[in-house]
Amino acid sequence: MAAQRVLIVDDEPDIRELLDITLSRMGLETFSAANLTEARNMVSDIVPDLCLTDMRLPDGNGISLVEYIQQEHAHIPVAMITAHGSVETAISALKAGAFDFISKPIELETLRKLVSTALQLEGDISRLDKAVVQDLIGEAPAIQKLRSQITKLARSQAPVHICGESGSGKEVVARLIHNNGPRAPGNFIAVNCGAIPPDLMESELFGHLKGSFTGATSDKPGLFQAAAGGTLFLDEVADLPLVMQVKLLRAIQEKAVRPVGGSEEVPTDVRLLSATHKDLAAEVEAGRFRDDLYYRINVIDLQVPSLRERAEDLPMLARALLKRIAREHGNEQAALDDSAIEALSGYSFPGNVRELENILERSLALADSGAITADDLQFSTMKPRNPAARTRKSDRDGASTWSVEEAYGDLQGYLDDMERQILSKALEESRWNKTATAKLLGISFRSLRYRLKKLQLDD
């Protein structure tokens, strides 16, 4: 089998020689170019499996080469060599389509890891396309665009921020990026930033040493260490306290973390993905999220469409989800009849795909036969998801108030309805994490569990 080819682009002979020796010892065939013009010609002539390019070249810059290769040979990963601490340059390279970057002075072990990771991509493109099609169901234009973006981003190491409404499938997208990329053999660690108490967050993310605080009876690695070699997915990243945002920024920039109670930083190798249902740019504008961290994690922005934005996918998606749910319950005969599909198509799904899954699972349990009908969906008994849908009156100051008359004859039903709507909204905002929901509402977890069971919301 022929050795894989690497094109080295740098105007410094010493750097070219160092890279040539290191990569040759890895069993790779190397080619060198001293400027942008030579590099472009050699890319077309030899079609390398990987390109390493310096940022500053005598007749241009490395980003121009990245853009050229993205346009003419999109399957070739390009890694950028940048000056130490040049975060803006690194971000620009990643935005242009670079696979990853490495800073000068070049650490040889870091270089070997980068090259090995990049070369794992060779020959995987058709497999990636097929895998993403299988896991991301739908044919709507928004889904086809998302599928194409995931396939491309899976081959990169750039930080990606995933935007979308609660329940739209942001974690599913993050897992697809991880599972179809070179880090797939490593761990995928997902953490809901809104569900971790602020006083425990630093320990959870970075770990701690024995005796660093009361209750620290042994050393404990953090989530950054657990995700080493893989992907760390920070969900609801907008909920991070400002003090933790500073520490997260340093961890990303230095590619190292300092455990609580530790005096030295520990190197870490993770790909960072993040998500939130909030408008992160608006959070920056309001002073609740640091702009420097925003630009560091939002190198590439990925929008996940709501279920309403791809309504044509609903029948296909509902049938696929039901098939999976039924298989988990040992029911191979379950199906949706036409009346159920029509009823689902007429619903707005404020909770998106997660709400669709919950409705299907409940309907499967209630169905008398193998076929789920519109009656089994029980849409007629579902309460409005938004309290604003109720009739309101205005007081003398023009403020909205609830209509007391609605409670006449059925006070308990009225109160239950109000509580049901509040709990549903809080669950959606907390991504159905019950611990985070209880915290949001200021009640105990036991109280929340009791209320959900009483109101039949505990799916």
Side-chain angles (χ1 to χ4, degrees):
M1 182 177 178
Q4 290 177 296
R5 300 177 168 190
V6 180
L7 175 61
I8 302 166
V9 186
D10 200 299
D11 62 333
E12 296 183 43
D14 291 347
I15 296 292
R16 293 201 302 270
E17 183 178 2
L18 172 65
L19 295 177
D20 175 71
I21 293 172
T22 303
L23 299 182
S24 296
R25 288 175 177 172
M26 295 176 67
L28 303 172
E29 185 178 2
T30 64
F31 300 82
S32 296
N35 56 53
L36 187 59
T37 303
E38 285 182 19
R40 284 177 173 170
N41 292 333
M42 294 188 73
V43 166
S44 299
D45 290 342
I46 68 174
V47 190
D49 300 295
L50 170 65
C51 177
L52 293 172
T53 179
D54 193 16
M55 176 62 188
R56 294 185 177 182
L57 298 171
D59 55 347
N61 62 56
I63 291 180
S64 297
L65 182 59
V66 172
E67 292 171 342
Y68 170 77
I69 292 177
Q70 280 289 300
Q71 183 176 351
E72 302 295 333
H73 306 276
H75 67 285
I76 301 176
V78 185
M80 181 71 70
I81 302 171
T82 67
H84 177 70
S86 182
V87 175
E88 293 79 9
T89 299
I91 290 176
S92 298
L94 293 172
K95 282 184 177 290
F99 164 78
D100 205 348
F101 68 93
I102 186 170
S103 299
K104 294 180 179 179
I106 297 173
E107 295 182 2
L108 296 185
E109 184 58 33
T110 303
L111 173 66
R112 294 187 191 99
K113 286 182 180 179
L114 183 152
V115 170
S116 297
T117 301
L119 292 176
Q120 289 178 27
L121 300 172
E122 183 66 19
D124 281 355
I125 294 176
S126 61
R127 178 189 66 78
L128 299 187
D129 289 333
K130 184 177 179 181
V132 174
V133 168
Q134 289 175 342
D135 292 335
L136 198 62
I137 300 165
E139 296 300 331
I143 282 296
Q144 292 188 34
K145 178 182 178 182
L146 179 61
R147 192 181 290 142
S148 174
Q149 291 174 315
I150 290 172
T151 302
K152 182 178 180 180
L153 293 175
R155 305 196 299 267
S156 168
Q157 295 296 286
V160 179
H161 181 64
I162 306 169
C163 311
E165 295 181 7
S166 293
S168 58
K170 297 187 291 296
E171 185 170 336
V172 171
V173 169
R175 287 185 181 276
L176 282 172
I177 292 173
H178 168 79
N179 290 337
N180 294 290
R183 289 180 176 269
N187 291 331
F188 176 88
I189 304 295
V191 54
N192 187 326
C193 298
I196 303 177
D199 55 338
L200 295 179
M201 191 166 289
E202 185 175 2
S203 172
E204 286 294 312
L205 289 178
F206 306 144
H208 64 251
L209 301 184
K210 180 180 179 180
S212 56
F213 55 85
T214 303
T217 56
S218 62
D219 292 353
K220 177 189 173 183
L223 297 175
F224 265 85
Q225 293 96 317
T231 301
L232 179 62
F233 175 52
L234 298 179
D235 200 2
E236 299 304 344
V237 70
D239 292 338
L240 279 174
L242 284 169
V243 66
M244 274 307 302
Q245 293 177 28
V246 177
K247 295 177 180 179
L248 175 61
L249 177 63
R250 177 173 176 79
I252 295 170
Q253 290 180 340
E254 301 300 324
K255 295 186 177 181
V257 297
R258 178 176 295 170
V260 177
S263 57
E264 297 182 356
E265 291 187 329
V266 180
T268 183
D269 170 33
V270 303
R271 183 181 187 184
L272 188 70
L273 304 178
S274 61
T276 182
H277 71 280
K278 297 180 180 179
D279 184 339
L280 207 53
E283 294 296 300
V284 172
E285 188 70 23
R288 292 187 291 267
F289 201 85
R290 292 180 61 95
D291 57 351
D292 47 5
L293 178 58
Y294 170 74
Y295 290 116
R296 198 66 182 88
I297 68 174
N298 195 37
V299 171
I300 297 174
D301 186 71
L302 194 60
Q303 185 70 42
V304 181
S306 67
L307 197 48
R308 297 183 301 282
E309 294 174 283
R310 55 183 186 116
E312 59 266 47
D313 288 338
L314 186 66
M316 181 193 306
L317 181 60
R319 290 189 174 103
L321 290 174
L322 179 63
K323 184 176 181 180
R324 182 184 57 108
I325 294 169
R327 189 185 304 119
E328 292 172 355
H329 288 76
N331 183 351
E332 299 294 337
Q333 306 302 317
L336 289 163
D337 74 3
D338 291 342
S339 67
I341 291 293
E342 183 177 357
L344 288 170
S345 298
Y347 184 60
S348 62
F349 287 102
N352 291 293
V353 179
R354 187 186 298 116
E355 185 179 13
L356 174 60
E357 287 187 273
N358 290 338
I359 289 172
L360 292 174
E361 189 159 9
R362 183 184 66 237
S363 301
L364 181 63
L366 296 174
D368 294 327
S369 63
I372 293 175
T373 67
D375 290 339
D376 295 321
L377 298 175
Q378 293 190 336
F379 280 147
S380 61
T381 63
M382 292 181 67
K383 305 297 181 182
R385 306 287 290 193
N386 187 348
R390 281 189 170 273
T391 302
R392 292 188 179 187
K393 293 183 177 180
S394 297
D395 59 20
R396 289 179 299 177
D397 298 324
S400 296
T401 59
W402 298 112
S403 173
V404 176
E405 289 82 359
E406 291 185 38
Y408 292 170
D410 186 16
L411 176 59
Q412 189 57 52
Y414 176 79
L415 295 175
D416 286 348
D417 185 27
M418 292 285 293
E419 186 174 6
R420 186 180 288 107
Q421 292 176 60
I422 292 170
L423 290 174
S424 296
K425 180 65 175 176
L427 282 165
E428 287 174 19
E429 289 192 5
S430 303
R431 298 185 72 256
W432 301 89
N433 181 302
K434 293 177 183 177
T435 301
T437 301
K439 179 183 174 183
L440 179 65
L441 294 172
I443 60 177
S444 68
F445 181 82
R446 178 177 295 181
S447 175
L448 175 66
R449 189 168 55 182
Y450 166 76
R451 293 167 187 266
L452 293 177
K453 185 175 182 180
K454 181 187 74 169
L455 299 171
Q456 298 180 332
L457 290 173
D458 195 8
D459 292 328

